[in-house]
Amino acid sequence: MAFQNEIKKALQITLPGESSHKKMLPPSRKLVATPEKRNKLKHSSVLLALYVENSNLYGCLIKRPKHMKHHAGQIALPGGRIEKGENAVETALRETYEEIGVHQNQIEILGMLSELYVEVSGFQIQPIVGWLNKKPTFSINKDEVEKMVLLPILKYKNHFEKTSIKTNIGVLEVPCIKFDGEIIWGATAMILSEFYDIMDDLSFIQE
């Protein structure tokens, strides 16, 4: 309960946003869309779902299949484009159920992190933070998710590295988190960077 309540309070204060995102921003990428691109933004939302098991805090990440149009083979968070008539929370909850089978009735919304722009795909992402009372039973949609990646959040705080990644514009040296044979970089790493920054003053981090 301490994890849950403290994170919820932390999300209500002024968020660090850009300063956190810059730590994990790939080289030569912009954090803000240019004026000519703002009308073409694809507004989307994702869910960082958290749970505690054996006193450890975990985040529910996913690996996208290699056939996906955007961010194929990358580590991501469940989510997608906001459809007409939806808000960011509704989209994140719908996509989470469609992709990993976790129903919205199992999720308590704790708050939001800062929006971020993904230049390479034109997405403007609103991250939502949700709480699960226990580790859920996942039902993966294989068309959208290759596998679950359950990240022990606290263990990988400040474990940022750099690595070379092959992209459609060539090889980039990017800041990342390496976990369980996977490389977490790009938008997902930027979202985690801000989440880590807001956790700095929480009591369970100091213990």
Side-chain angles (χ1 to χ4, degrees):
M1 186 64 74
F3 286 102
Q4 177 182 359
N5 291 336
E6 288 200 44
I7 293 168
K8 190 171 187 176
K9 288 178 183 177
L11 289 168
Q12 294 171 359
I13 63 173
T14 302
L15 298 171
E18 188 172 308
S19 65
S20 297
H21 296 158
K22 281 182 177 178
K23 297 176 186 179
M24 304 301 282
L25 183 68
S28 303
R29 299 281 172 85
K30 294 181 174 65
L31 275 173
V32 180
T34 57
E36 59 270 22
K37 290 184 177 179
R38 285 176 193 160
N39 291 333
K40 299 178 181 178
L41 288 175
K42 294 176 276 191
H43 291 275
S44 64
S45 63
V46 297
L47 182 74
L48 174 58
L50 307 167
Y51 68 91
V52 171
E53 185 176 62
N54 298 324
S55 300
N56 293 311
L57 182 67
Y58 288 87
C60 301
L61 282 58
I62 60 175
K63 184 172 185 178
R64 293 292 185 196
K66 289 183 172 61
H67 66 256
M68 297 286 286
K69 181 178 180 181
H70 297 295
H71 311 295
Q74 293 184 20
I75 305 302
L77 294 165
R81 197 163 181 173
I82 298 173
E83 296 184 355
K84 188 175 180 179
E86 285 185 329
N87 61 39
V89 171
E90 290 168 340
T91 298
L93 291 172
R94 172 180 57 77
E95 290 281 354
T96 296
Y97 181 65
E98 290 175 1
E99 293 181 1
I100 63 173
V102 179
H103 195 274
Q104 63 180 21
N105 292 346
Q106 298 173 258
I107 303 166
E108 177 190 350
I109 299 301
L110 300 184
M112 298 184 182
L113 291 164
S114 301
E115 275 193 315
L116 72 157
Y117 170 59
V118 182
E119 184 182 13
V120 68
S121 58
F123 281 100
Q124 184 80 12
I125 302 174
Q126 174 62 71
I128 311 296
V129 181
W131 186 262
L132 300 161
N133 285 329
K134 62 180 180 179
K135 180 181 178 179
T137 299
F138 300 106
S139 179
I140 294 172
N141 178 348
K142 289 292 187 180
D143 289 334
E144 299 189 70
V145 178
E146 180 179 314
K147 69 175 185 177
M148 296 300 306
V149 178
L150 303 177
L151 179 69
I153 294 283
L154 302 185
K155 183 177 178 181
Y156 282 82
K157 189 178 188 298
N158 298 323
H159 277 60
F160 298 162
E161 306 178 44
K162 284 198 171 183
T163 194
S164 295
I165 294 282
K166 289 183 180 180
T167 73
N168 56 3
I169 60 169
V171 177
L172 297 178
E173 186 172 325
V174 300
C176 69
I177 300 169
K178 293 182 179 178
F179 168 67
D180 198 23
E182 303 294 347
I183 298 172
I184 304 167
W185 68 286
T188 304
M190 292 161 70
I191 291 166
L192 289 172
S193 177
E194 184 176 40
F195 185 69
Y196 281 134
D197 284 348
I198 70 160
M199 292 173 69
D200 276 343
D201 296 326
L202 304 188
S203 64
F204 61 80
I205 298 296
Q206 309 300 327
E207 292 173 358

